[in-house]
Amino acid sequence: MFKAMLAVVLAALCLVAGGQGAQAQSNMTWKFENDYKYKVELMFFSSDRKGFVWPGNNKIYPLNDGGAHSFRIGCLGGEKICYGAWVTGNKNRYWGVGADGKQGCESCCFKCQGGDTPLIHLK
C-alpha cells in the first residue's frame, strides 16, 4: 500500500514539474554594428518572461563606435528575445522595441536556440 501511494505521489510531482514548462538553458549571441552617427545604448527583452531583461540591474550595453559588437546572453530554449536600442540621451530615436521594450518592431526578435543572430546594422 505504501509503495502504491509513493508511486502516485512521485507521478504527481513529475506532472507538476513538467506542467510548469521546464525549459533547458541555452545561449545566443547577438551581433550589432552601430552605423548611426551617435552613440547607442542597447538592451534585450524577453517576450515570454515578463520583466526579464539583459543585462539587467538598470544597466545597458553601450555601442560607442561603428565597430561590430557581440553580446552573448543566457536564455531559455525557445524563448523569444527582442532587442531595443536607442540613441544615448534620446530615447525617442530608437530601433527594435525601444528603451522600454514596448515598441512594435519588424525582425527584431529571435528564438533562443543557440547560435548567432545575423549582423544587425543600426542606421
Side-chain angles (χ1 to χ4, degrees), residues 4-105:
M5 285 181 64
L6 183 58
V8 169
V9 169
L10 289 175
L13 287 174
C14 288
L15 285 174
V16 169
Q20 291 177 346
Q23 294 173 295
Q25 186 69 26
S26 189
N27 293 295
M28 64 188 302
T29 301
W30 291 78
K31 298 187 299 183
F32 287 88
E33 190 166 272
N34 179 10
D35 293 333
Y36 198 64
K37 57 186 171 183
Y38 300 113
K39 295 177 182 180
V40 171
E41 298 179 349
L42 172 72
M43 289 176 65
F44 302 102
F45 300 86
S46 172
S47 291
D48 298 328
R49 292 187 283 168
K50 185 175 170 78
F52 206 90
V53 299
W54 293 263
N57 297 325
N58 295 314
K59 295 181 181 178
I60 53 92
Y61 294 110
L63 298 175
N64 292 332
D65 59 40
H69 299 269
S70 295
F71 305 96
R72 184 176 168 99
I73 64 170
C75 42
L76 299 177
E79 180 176 20
K80 182 179 174 184
I81 311 293
C82 304
Y83 75 86
W86 60 95
V87 173
T88 300
N90 181 5
K91 293 182 178 181
N92 292 322
R93 175 66 174 123
Y94 64 88
W95 298 264
V97 295
D100 59 4
K102 297 180 181 175
Q103 305 302 319
C105 65

